[in-house]
Amino acid sequence: PQQDGRYVDVEHFGRQLPEVQTGTPIWVGSHRGIVQITPSSPWWFKHHLNYAEKNDVGESTWALKGHPFDHHCGCTLSHFIIWMDARARGLKAAIVSESDGFLEQWWTPYVHGRPGEYAGVVQALLEEAPPDWDI
């Protein structure tokens, strides 16, 4: 649970999110329930980025609580960094793909494509990408 990874980027971009108004109650997870935002609330609560919560020794509280979905906090924060970085650079489009994603979870139900077609889509994107495109 104690890995710095790109936490500096999470905090940098997280502080750019709109701040929740003081006095507003927000749900911060089943381990804590609802808290009311105060001037002394941590930045991750003030910006409603609860997955970024860390304890006093720098450990992710989400990873420590043992929730069945706790592994999603790192994935979510990783996608958040990518999205915010794309916005900061003024990108018009971005594709985020995961090495452990399953095509049948989204490609078939949402795109209505066959799993074998995905490789062709990726190849077409690579071939038709603008000259300044980056991986």
Side-chain angles (χ1 to χ4, degrees), residues 59-134:
E59 298 169 320
S60 166
T61 59
W62 287 86
L64 290 171
K65 69 182 180 172
H67 188 279
F69 298 112
D70 62 3
H71 64 279
H72 289 289
C73 81
C75 180
T76 299
L77 293 174
S78 169
H79 291 185
F80 170 70
I81 290 170
I82 293 166
W83 173 58
M84 292 295 284
D85 180 61
R87 289 187 66 205
R89 293 191 293 155
L91 299 180
K92 294 179 183 173
I95 296 173
V96 179
S97 185
E98 296 185 30
S99 62
D100 64 346
F102 295 101
L103 293 176
E104 60 271 9
Q105 290 178 330
W106 62 273
W107 181 254
T108 302
Y110 300 111
V111 181
H112 304 291
R114 292 186 310 273
E117 295 173 321
Y118 184 70
V121 170
V122 172
Q123 185 63 40
L125 289 170
L126 292 170
E127 291 171 1
E128 298 176 21
D132 62 345
W133 189 76
D134 188 17

